[in-house]
Each structure stands twice: as structure tokens, then as C-alpha cells.
Amino acid sequence: MAASNLKQEITDDRRSRRADVRVNALIEAGPGRTYETSARNVSAHGVMVELEMELAPGRPVHIALAGLGRVAGRIAWARDGHTGIAFVDPLTLAQINDIL
């Protein structure tokens, strides 16, 4: 997907479109609770990762994504080996492009 198309698809609401990705990620869910995983899609407001461990919705986490670095978030949902993380602060278009 071209960056110009991605820019048009990203909005400032929770229904923002997601870009499919396959990048390494590291989730920090507290002392001694670090999980290596893979991000599957990303938007300005969150990311979906592959994670067998089901973390409780609302739990604060930090996630480090290849190309982005460490950002704060909260577990939004977890089911069937996938977890949604909502970012505390939305990503900018430049940050999303760094991931892509």
C-alpha cells in the first residue's frame, strides 16, 4: 500500500483502518512478564498481535514494534491466540510509515 493511500485511510477515530503488517514485537506486561510476538495489523489507535497468553482487558502494557520503538497501551481484547492493544496516544502517520 502506498503511503499516500495509507494517509487517506487513517482517521482520528477508533474505526480507523488497519494496515496489514508482519513485524516483530515485544510486549512488557509488568516485571518479569515480557512476551516476544508478531504484530499482524496496526492503525493509529492500536495493534493486533499473535499471543497465546491471554492478558486481561484493561491491563496496561508497553509494546515495542520493529521500526517504532516502545509505546504505552492497554489490552483491549484477547481471544483465539490474538490480542488487541489500544495505544494510550494515537500514532502519527510518520510513526505508522516507520513500521511499514
Side-chain angles (χ1 to χ4, degrees), residues 4 9-10 16-17 19 27 35 39 41 44 47-49 53-54 57 60-61 63 69 75 78 80 82-84 94 97:
S4 61
E9 293 178 3
I10 296 176
S16 60
R17 301 216 33 189
I27 297 172
Y35 308 97
N41 67 45
V47 62
M48 181 181 74
V49 298
M53 169 67 69
E54 288 196 11
V61 296
I63 183 166
I75 301 298
D80 301 325
H82 294 90
T83 298
N97 285 333

Side-chain angles (χ1 to χ4, degrees), residues 14-59:
R14 292 288 300 161
R15 294 170 299 233
S16 60
R17 301 216 33 189
R18 303 211 178 296
D20 290 333
V21 296
R22 186 72 158 186
V23 298
N24 292 331
L26 185 70
I27 297 172
E28 300 169 10
R33 294 196 171 113
T34 301
Y35 308 97
E36 292 183 27
T37 185
S38 178
R40 298 302 306 268
N41 67 45
V42 66
S43 76
H45 298 281
V47 62
M48 181 181 74
V49 298
E50 296 174 341
L51 189 65
E52 292 300 322
M53 169 67 69
E54 288 196 11
L55 300 175
R59 182 185 191 126

